[in-house]
Amino acid sequence: GDPFDPFNDPNSAQPETKGEFKAALKDLQKQFVAYMAEQAKVNAQIDGLKEDNRQYRFRMDRALAEAEVTSGALRVAEEAHYKDLDGLEGQLDASRLKLDQLRDNNLEMASAEKQLLALYLEMKDSHGR
């Protein structure tokens, strides 16, 4: 026989083994196609999740920005409120001061009235004699 004829080599595949190889190869190809389809499905799911994630992140960023704006507005309102309170406190202090002054004036007037009355009584006494 021809030493280059693979079918003469006892180690080489015989025709029936060749058929088995072909069948096995076909099976492998089927499995590979199925695997690729599965992989495509998984990739599509991953892409979908990535898109969801992107949208969530976008919404979160927007919500965060809105929250920052709101909190900024609240801070401004709070500062204005405290300024108003400071103003009112200032007015209250001024009113208290005025009240104290009026009380002092009233006391002074009362003591002046007493002195006048005493003087009047003295004069009346001296004239009455």
Side-chain angles (χ1 to χ4, degrees):
D2 178 5
F4 295 109
D5 179 3
F7 296 113
N8 275 347
D9 181 358
N11 293 330
S12 86
Q14 294 307 303
E16 66 270 16
T17 358
K18 226 173 157 185
E20 281 171 30
F21 276 149
K22 267 191 184 160
L25 194 63
K26 259 206 180 125
D27 194 44
L28 268 179
Q29 280 174 332
K30 243 191 236 165
Q31 283 179 22
F32 182 72
V33 167
Y35 165 79
M36 289 304 284
E38 196 60 37
Q39 198 57 39
K41 237 190 271 177
V42 169
N43 286 342
Q45 281 178 334
I46 288 173
D47 288 345
L49 287 172
K50 275 185 189 164
E51 179 56 25
D52 287 351
N53 197 24
R54 197 184 64 75
Q55 287 191 4
Y56 283 136
R57 194 168 277 159
F58 175 73
R59 276 190 222 135
M60 281 293 295
D61 287 348
R62 203 169 55 191
L64 195 66
E66 282 170 12
E68 275 171 8
V69 167
T70 304
S71 113
L74 284 174
R75 208 173 300 123
V76 168
E78 189 186 31
E79 280 168 16
H81 177 66
Y82 280 125
K83 268 190 196 141
D84 289 348
L85 276 181
D86 287 345
L88 287 173
E89 270 176 20
Q91 287 176 3
L92 191 64
D93 288 344
S95 299
R96 280 206 192 106
L97 205 64
K98 211 156 221 162
L99 193 64
D100 287 346
Q101 287 172 351
L102 286 171
R103 271 203 202 109
D104 288 348
N105 286 353
N106 282 348
L107 286 174
E108 279 172 32
M109 281 176 76
S111 97
E113 273 176 12
K114 267 187 196 159
Q115 286 173 349
L116 276 174
L117 191 64
L119 233 122
Y120 169 73
L121 289 174
E122 255 179 59
M123 280 170 68
K124 212 171 110 171
D125 277 358
S126 61
H127 278 289
R129 261 185 216 137

